[in-house]
Amino acid sequence: MKIAAAQFAPTADVRDNLARAEALAEDAAAAGVGLLVLPEESMVQTGLVTGSLAPVADDHWAEFSDGLRAIAARHRIALIASGLEPSGTPRPFNTILAVDSDGALSGSYRKLHLYDAFSYQESGRVQPGDELPPVVQLGGVHVGLVNCYDLRFPELTRSLVDAGAEVIAVTAAWMTGRNKEDHWSTLLRARAIESTTWVVASGNSAPDCVAGSKIIDPMGIVVADAGEPEVGWCAAEVSGDRTAQVRRVLPALANRRIDLAYTVRPKIFIKAAVNGGRETAETPLVPLTPAEIAAEAAASVRAGADVIHAHARTANGGQTIAPEHIAAMVRAVREEDPTIVVGTTTGLWTCADHADRMAKIEAWEAEWLPDFASVAFCEEGAAEAAQAVLARGMVLESAVWSMDDVPALLASPTLHDNVRVLIEPLAEDPDQAVRDCREMAAALRAGGVTAPLLYHGLEGTTWPVVRAAIADGVEVRVGIEDVVSSEDGAIASNSIQVAEALRIYAELHATTA
């Protein structure tokens, strides 16, 4: 079959984009092309849409889907293109549609790997899919679907080849940047070489994307390249005979010794805040000693937590950031499991004043430094404390508790050094706490924050805020520091709370699948 990869720069107008796609399809069909791969965001260029993408998806997904099917049937050419599919939440799916030459929908794929890299946060506006991409049949050829950032995950492409894909179709809006064009070309060839399969890649040609649509044969040879024009396409005869020839010479798939089972894990980042300032009178499950904290940290990670936040405690149970107590806690966690990522507070309430806080941070033992430390920007000297955390070689996360804190964080010289920004609403009413989270999140994004955001509530707002965080695609915090019970009110350990967050994730995603 003759297959083509096209490129164009979509606009914010869905009808205009369909017209552009049809012009390319008509041209390719006239040249004998049987399958045309169109770029990511063919439905709408998301960078041209302000605010939530959900209204665009809700209003235009059916129009886009029906339009692709009509174009395919009219010109007797199979099409692959991506757009915004409603999810029932403020974040739609980034979905590839595969349409056969008779206009029938052969399959679809909701993008698994969202582009949360290079200071970009796709998950802030898009919901990830939960299923492996399918292999669809178009014109008698088995085609696997890959969407942009997926290209960096070779196991995804290998899953498609193992499922029978003869061709890997990549639809992308590969962003420009240092080394990015080289990554695009290298990764496309690598996916072809390692799986000895054809790769047909369509690149969005918007000003911030590299374009460079290509067709690569199973030996990794670029046999067609559309180059840099804003509108164009390249084509090649994709032959099963060539695949068989390459696999006789290079039987890499047959030579494999490792069996793989492909599953999709939940896309949720969970921080377990294992103790805070809780006392045993509030819950007997709160860990206080270094050994107890280490055991809870390990249990929480086994349950699914990504990182641990813990407060060192004195012999009488008080919170402290004194060097000897921080060292004892970190050492205990590392001896329990050296792979655990553990952080702590720099809260002023643990010190006499800001000067005392600075002295203590500077005195933390280099051998037993936490992996990260949190700084609340509602406190005096927050910017200086944040600089001290970085100067000591730790990872920084900053926190805002209300809209009043946002300007101080945005003005901080460490703003772009944060691994994440915590949003911790003070409201006791759950609905208000969720509204406050979203207001602060919008202000932070408008102010230029590109780091991941994390919501967490306190007491009665904890679980409603967890649900909002999952719905909004931001990071989640649970644990005894925030609440002592699971969502149903039963006293719960940190590990049970982590499992509860994963259950809520599965529940919410089951309702939008």
Side-chain angles (χ1 to χ4, degrees):
M1 179 196 286
K2 190 174 184 179
I3 300 180
Q7 58 197 43
F8 72 99
T11 68
D13 186 305
V14 176
R15 291 183 181 178
D16 179 58
N17 295 331
L18 283 169
R20 292 170 184 237
E22 180 154 24
L24 287 163
E26 183 177 14
D27 193 22
V33 170
L35 166 61
L36 177 67
V37 182
L38 294 160
E40 185 181 23
E41 302 193 334
S42 286
M43 174 176 158
V44 64
Q45 189 77 27
T46 59
L48 302 176
V49 178
T50 302
S52 172
L53 298 173
V56 177
D58 293 342
D59 293 344
H60 298 289
W61 174 247
E63 177 185 3
F64 178 68
S65 176
D66 292 346
L68 282 181
R69 295 174 66 182
I71 292 168
R74 210 158 28 238
H75 300 288
R76 305 304 296 172
I77 185 171
L79 298 174
I80 291 174
S82 82
L84 298 172
E85 177 192 3
S87 69
T89 78
R91 298 179 302 137
F93 297 110
N94 181 344
T95 299
I96 294 177
L97 294 176
V99 181
D100 214 343
S101 57
D102 61 358
L105 182 64
S106 295
S108 64
Y109 162 55
R110 294 167 175 171
K111 187 177 183 181
L112 269 180
H113 299 104
L114 300 185
Y115 183 51
D116 291 353
F118 291 101
S119 299
Y120 192 87
Q121 198 75 16
E122 185 179 10
S123 64
R125 305 178 80 195
V126 173
Q127 179 134 294
D130 284 320
E131 296 183 1
L132 288 167
V135 174
V136 298
Q137 189 164 325
L138 298 170
V141 176
H142 293 91
V143 181
L145 306 179
V146 171
N147 197 340
C148 200
Y149 192 49
D150 285 333
L151 190 61
R152 294 187 182 273
F153 301 87
E155 62 276 15
L156 182 138
T157 300
R158 182 56 61 83
S159 77
L160 292 167
V161 172
D162 284 351
E166 303 166 274
V167 175
I168 301 299
V170 182
T171 176
W174 198 267
M175 297 187 72
T176 57
R178 187 177 181 183
N179 298 322
K180 296 294 296 302
E181 186 169 351
D182 181 58
H183 287 193
W184 168 246
S185 300
T186 301
L187 289 167
L188 288 171
R189 294 186 63 234
R191 297 296 82 86
I193 293 166
E194 69 201 7
S195 293
T196 54
T197 193
W198 291 88
V199 172
V200 179
S202 168
N204 187 310
S205 61
D208 59 351
C209 297
V210 303
S213 301
K214 293 175 177 56
I215 300 176
I216 301 163
D217 86 349
M219 191 59 85
I221 299 169
V222 179
V223 296
D225 193 326
E228 298 179 359
E230 181 178 317
V231 180
W233 54 274
C234 59
E237 287 289 343
V238 172
S239 163
D241 290 342
R242 173 58 173 164
T243 304
Q245 177 194 27
V246 170
R247 290 180 180 177
R248 283 194 297 271
V249 175
L250 177 60
L253 295 178
N255 290 344
R256 286 185 296 169
R257 300 283 307 280
I258 300 170
D259 285 331
L260 298 178
Y262 304 99
T263 58
V264 178
R265 62 182 175 85
K267 175 64 169 67
I268 177 175
F269 181 99
I270 301 176
K271 181 204 284 191
V274 298
N275 61 354
R278 294 286 184 185
E279 300 178 358
T280 53
E282 297 174 275
T283 173
L285 302 177
V286 61
L288 301 176
T289 69
E292 291 170 346
I293 292 169
E296 276 296 285
S300 298
V301 168
R302 287 195 299 271
D306 295 277
V307 299
I308 301 299
H309 176 81
H311 292 200
R313 308 293 281 266
T314 62
N316 65 8
Q319 300 173 76
T320 180
I321 62 168
E324 66 274 20
H325 293 292
I326 293 292
M329 179 183 75
V330 173
R331 180 173 183 170
V333 172
R334 299 257 167 81
E335 289 177 347
E336 179 78 24
D337 182 348
T339 68
I340 292 174
V341 178
V342 60
T344 195
T345 184
T346 62
L348 273 179
W349 65 87
T350 66
C351 307
D353 53 27
H354 174 58
D356 182 45
R357 167 167 66 179
M358 293 296 292
K360 284 183 165 64
I361 293 172
E362 290 166 6
W364 284 355
E365 295 182 33
E367 185 179 3
W368 303 114
L369 283 175
D371 295 294
F372 65 91
S374 308
V375 177
F377 270 73
C378 60
E379 295 181 340
E380 173 197 354
E384 187 180 9
Q387 289 174 308
V389 167
L390 293 170
R392 290 303 316 277
M394 291 172 283
V395 171
L396 172 68
E397 59 177 27
S398 298
V400 292
W401 292 9
S402 72
M403 286 293 293
D404 292 340
D405 306 337
V406 171
L409 176 60
L410 295 179
S412 169
T414 61
L415 176 65
H416 298 299
D417 296 313
N418 286 289
V419 68
R420 67 186 59 86
V421 174
L422 315 183
I423 296 176
E424 312 177 20
L426 298 173
E428 296 181 5
D429 175 71
D431 292 339
Q432 186 61 52
V434 169
R435 287 194 292 271
D436 290 348
C437 283
R438 289 172 171 159
E439 182 182 17
M440 286 185 269
L444 291 168
R445 290 295 186 221
V449 172
T450 57
L453 304 179
L454 179 151
Y455 298 170
H456 80 85
L458 183 67
E459 308 297 4
T461 70
T462 300
W463 294 108
V465 166
V466 165
R467 287 182 171 273
I470 293 170
D472 292 356
V474 302
E475 297 180 356
V476 171
R477 187 174 110 168
V478 293
I480 285 173
E481 177 175 349
D482 297 337
V483 69
V484 299
S485 60
S486 55
E487 193 174 29
D488 64 4
I491 294 295
S493 66
N494 291 292
S495 57
I496 289 176
Q497 292 193 37
V498 171
E500 185 82 329
L502 290 168
R503 179 194 65 78
I504 292 171
Y505 178 93
E507 173 196 319
L508 293 179
H509 281 256
T511 62
T512 59

